[in-house]
Amino acid sequence: MDDHGYELPERLVTDERVRDLNSKKIAASDVGTTLPGITEENQLQFLLELCEAYSDGKLELDKVLVAISAAGLKGDISTDLAHAIWLCSQKAGSKHEQLGELVAECIKKGKLTRKVVLELEEMELMAHSGVVGNVEIIRKKERQAYTSMYFKQDKFNLLREENEGYGKLLTALLSGGELQQQHLPALRNEIKSLIGAFKLDPNRVCDLVLEAAARDAAGCRVWLQLMPMFNKDAPMQVCVDGVGHYTYSSAAAGTPSVCNILCTHVLRQGWLQLMPVFVKDAPMQVRSCGSVFCLQ
């Protein structure tokens, strides 16, 4: 029992076994197990005690591998061995250089894989084992990847836009009346050309295309065939923000019917999903524009 009253399991790597391993009384054998009592259930405990004995200077490095072979451990022990080494490295006074040598030797003998070490071990330990090179370079790349994954925002530089492009875009969107299917390829190419030539923000262009679709009730479905040009979340964002704008700025008047019709078509064609809208919008906003989500 320990100081807190917990019953500890019986030690597997006793002082006697450590002496026998160092004096070569226990050796690995191809015939059978020479270190009995090690099972799959207590494998992690055995590996942890082995690593502790090595870390404390009681067991020689090569004898750790002898003990693993003598115990007759079956299957892949990489994960348990990596966990055991990591736990040893967390102890006060542990020597990372010494544990790094153990990691390097285990990889060399096939007891550990480089992949498992990269996944589970500390950076300093990997550096001392030779798995990674310069720690500072690795940490810099790690910070860059973390920043890119969690903090990078895809924003468009509005200062690069040329306002002339929006004039030409509005002319292309509003000058043809009801949009016909045969005119769709030409309009798509023109929109792409204007975005590229005048460096227009694609999300703002998507907003204008949806505005044109809302004004053309008869050709609304044809307009929505232009949506694959844009980010898959852009149509939903535009619709949700539009409904929210009408809800909060003119609650008494309600959402205009053209907006409701547009949202209905966007929802039918799969560009708008209900769950993100209900998560994003406040309950009052969703209730006030309930007609948007009624597919009649």
Side-chain angles (χ1 to χ4, degrees):
M1 237 179 233
D2 66 359
D3 298 336
H4 301 284
Y6 294 107
E7 186 175 350
L8 298 175
E10 182 182 354
R11 285 192 63 85
L12 301 174
V13 182
T14 61
D15 292 339
E16 182 182 356
R17 282 185 167 178
V18 170
R19 287 194 298 269
D20 289 344
L21 283 166
N22 285 330
S23 62
K24 299 182 180 181
K25 289 183 179 180
I26 297 178
S29 173
D30 297 333
V31 178
T33 301
T34 56
L35 197 61
I38 313 302
T39 64
E40 188 174 348
E41 287 71 23
N42 59 20
Q43 171 177 291
L44 180 57
Q45 177 195 345
F46 170 70
L47 293 173
L48 177 58
E49 292 178 3
L50 267 184
C51 294
E52 286 178 341
Y54 169 72
S55 179
D56 294 340
K58 300 176 181 178
L59 190 62
E60 298 173 8
L61 175 59
D62 60 325
K63 299 304 185 292
V64 176
L65 298 170
V66 170
I68 292 175
S69 300
L73 300 181
K74 305 295 183 182
D76 185 12
I77 64 169
S78 287
T79 301
D80 282 349
L81 183 54
H83 280 305
I85 295 174
W86 179 83
L87 287 170
C88 281
S89 70
Q90 302 306 302
K91 289 178 60 178
S94 63
K95 299 178 181 179
H96 283 186
E97 298 87 347
Q98 188 178 7
L99 291 173
E101 293 177 3
L102 175 60
V103 171
E105 190 66 20
C106 288
I107 293 176
K108 182 179 177 181
K109 299 297 184 180
K111 303 300 182 182
L112 266 178
T113 63
R114 188 173 183 273
K115 179 177 181 293
V116 171
V117 173
L118 289 171
E119 289 175 351
L120 300 179
E121 300 298 359
E122 298 285 347
M123 188 67 67
E124 289 78 6
L125 196 59
M126 290 190 287
H128 290 304
S129 65
V131 174
V132 299
N134 191 301
V135 176
E136 290 304 319
I137 294 177
I138 299 297
R139 289 198 181 280
K140 181 179 179 181
K141 292 182 178 179
E142 188 179 46
R143 288 194 296 269
Q144 290 174 343
Y146 182 83
T147 302
S148 176
M149 184 179 299
Y150 294 106
F151 298 103
K152 182 181 178 181
Q153 296 181 353
D154 295 324
K155 289 189 175 181
F156 194 84
N157 186 358
L158 301 182
L159 298 177
R160 296 179 57 196
E161 293 183 317
E162 299 181 28
N163 293 334
E164 180 186 353
Y166 284 109
K168 293 182 180 296
L169 177 64
L170 290 174
T171 301
L173 295 178
L174 303 178
S175 62
E178 180 181 335
L179 181 63
Q180 303 295 328
Q181 184 70 38
Q182 61 268 27
H183 300 149
L184 195 62
L187 179 60
R188 181 185 293 111
N189 291 335
E190 186 169 0
I191 292 174
K192 288 182 179 179
S193 299
L194 291 173
I195 291 175
F198 296 98
K199 301 179 177 61
L200 304 182
D201 180 4
N203 290 331
R204 297 177 69 184
V205 173
C206 178
D207 189 5
L208 292 175
V209 171
L210 288 174
E211 184 73 23
R215 296 173 181 274
D216 183 10
C220 187
R221 295 185 180 183
V222 181
W223 283 99
L224 293 181
Q225 294 180 36
L226 295 171
M227 291 301 101
M229 296 171 50
F230 305 104
N231 186 296
K232 62 179 181 179
D233 295 326
M236 182 182 73
Q237 186 67 45
V238 170
C239 289
V240 171
D241 291 345
V243 171
H245 166 73
Y246 287 117
T247 299
Y248 289 114
S249 63
S250 54
T255 307
S257 59
V258 291
C259 186
N260 289 348
I261 293 172
L262 173 64
C263 289
T264 300
H265 283 297
V266 173
L267 180 59
R268 278 178 172 170
Q269 295 198 17
W271 294 106
L272 179 65
Q273 297 179 1
L274 287 178
M275 187 54 65
V277 176
F278 277 90
V279 171
K280 182 177 178 62
D281 290 342
M284 180 194 72
Q285 183 176 340
V286 175
R287 287 197 301 270
S288 64
C289 59
S291 59
V292 174
F293 310 111
C294 296
L295 303 181
Q296 298 178 350

